[in-house]
Amino acid sequence: MGAIADAWAWLASADNWTGDGGVWQRLGEHVYLTVVCLAVACLIALPVALWLGHLGRGGALAVNISNVGRAVPTLAVLVLLTLSPLGSYGELPTVIALVLFAVPPLLTNAYVGMREADRDVVEAARGMGMSGWQLLSRVEVPLAFPLIMTGVRSAAVQVVATATLAAIAGGGGLGRIITAGFNTYNTPQVVAGALLVAVLALLVEAVLVLVARVVDPMRRTAPTAAATAPVPTEVAA
């Protein structure tokens, strides 16, 4: 408990929050890196997963290929990219490594969500004459939305935690606080940096849960469907 108390004292010091290299600066860098990597990973993984899930072909192969990335250590990828010519492009190696790390949960959950959509509902919509795009956007994606958001939350939390490795490649983020603490043998600073990363991951998880509830298409359509449903009339005896 002494380490936690010392870390709390470090966090309570205003000097550690302001100025160049302070907590606010590192937190902003960490959030920016997380948002960029998650957005790029979503742009890559979700269209592929949704389309393959809609077609019902090739998805298993794509998921298995993406899962290979889980077997490759992110740190090893980051180091190799940093030592390559890409290392001269600032944060690019870190972004590539984190995107590769975030793609598997996004791709897997979105594809599984599409394939597990209620087939009776899908077939009924197809029987109503919906086009492929209408079926995808109005039926399958809303039904798969919970699993899609589960993948987004999983990827976001993983990126928040793994983005600390950016400090090894000279990048920004909360990892700089942790590495600086290791370099100066400042254990309270190391623990404080780890606590900040943990709290940020929990906040990101909570925000995405709230966003999922607010924008859930099934949540918006359920009251409408209930309101427009015919009211049964009582049959006179």
Side-chain angles (χ1 to χ4, degrees):
M1 294 301 293
I4 300 295
D6 292 340
W8 181 258
W10 189 93
L11 291 171
S13 175
D15 294 338
N16 294 325
W17 287 79
T18 57
D20 187 32
V23 172
W24 287 122
Q25 177 186 346
R26 299 308 182 194
L27 181 61
E29 294 170 348
H30 205 99
V31 171
Y32 174 77
L33 186 61
T34 298
V35 171
V36 169
C37 294
L38 185 62
V40 173
C42 287
L43 289 174
I44 294 173
L46 293 185
V48 174
L50 297 180
W51 184 244
L52 291 177
H54 172 70
L55 296 178
R57 297 192 300 270
L61 177 61
V63 170
N64 289 331
I65 292 175
S66 71
N67 284 337
V68 172
R70 295 182 177 181
V72 180
T74 307
L75 179 58
V77 175
L78 178 58
V79 171
L80 291 175
L81 290 174
T82 303
L83 296 177
S84 72
L86 293 175
S88 59
Y89 291 93
E91 298 279 2
L92 185 58
T94 302
V95 172
I96 294 176
L98 293 179
V99 166
L100 292 176
F101 187 63
V103 162
L106 290 167
L107 183 60
T108 301
N109 281 273
Y111 177 77
V112 172
M114 291 289 290
R115 297 312 303 160
E116 290 188 354
D118 192 326
R119 306 322 298 174
D120 291 336
V121 176
V122 174
E123 291 303 323
R126 184 178 285 113
M128 293 171 61
M130 282 191 173
S131 65
W133 171 251
Q134 289 174 327
L135 189 65
L136 173 66
S137 60
R138 297 184 183 181
V139 179
E140 292 176 321
V141 170
L143 291 174
F145 185 79
L147 265 179
I148 293 173
M149 286 305 300
T150 298
V152 172
R153 294 202 311 270
S154 176
V157 171
Q158 290 179 13
V159 169
V160 168
T162 313
T164 55
L165 297 177
I168 298 176
L174 295 174
R176 292 291 292 271
I177 295 176
I178 298 174
T179 55
F182 276 122
N183 292 335
T184 59
Y185 302 99
N186 188 340
T187 302
Q189 182 173 340
V190 174
V191 176
L195 289 174
L196 288 170
V197 174
V199 170
L200 180 59
L202 292 174
L203 286 175
V204 168
E205 171 81 9
V207 168
L208 289 177
V209 168
L210 180 61
V211 169
R213 291 180 180 177
V214 172
V215 304
D216 188 348
M218 298 304 293
R219 178 177 178 272
R220 295 200 305 268
T221 56
T224 304
T228 57
V231 179
T233 57
E234 183 177 352
V235 179

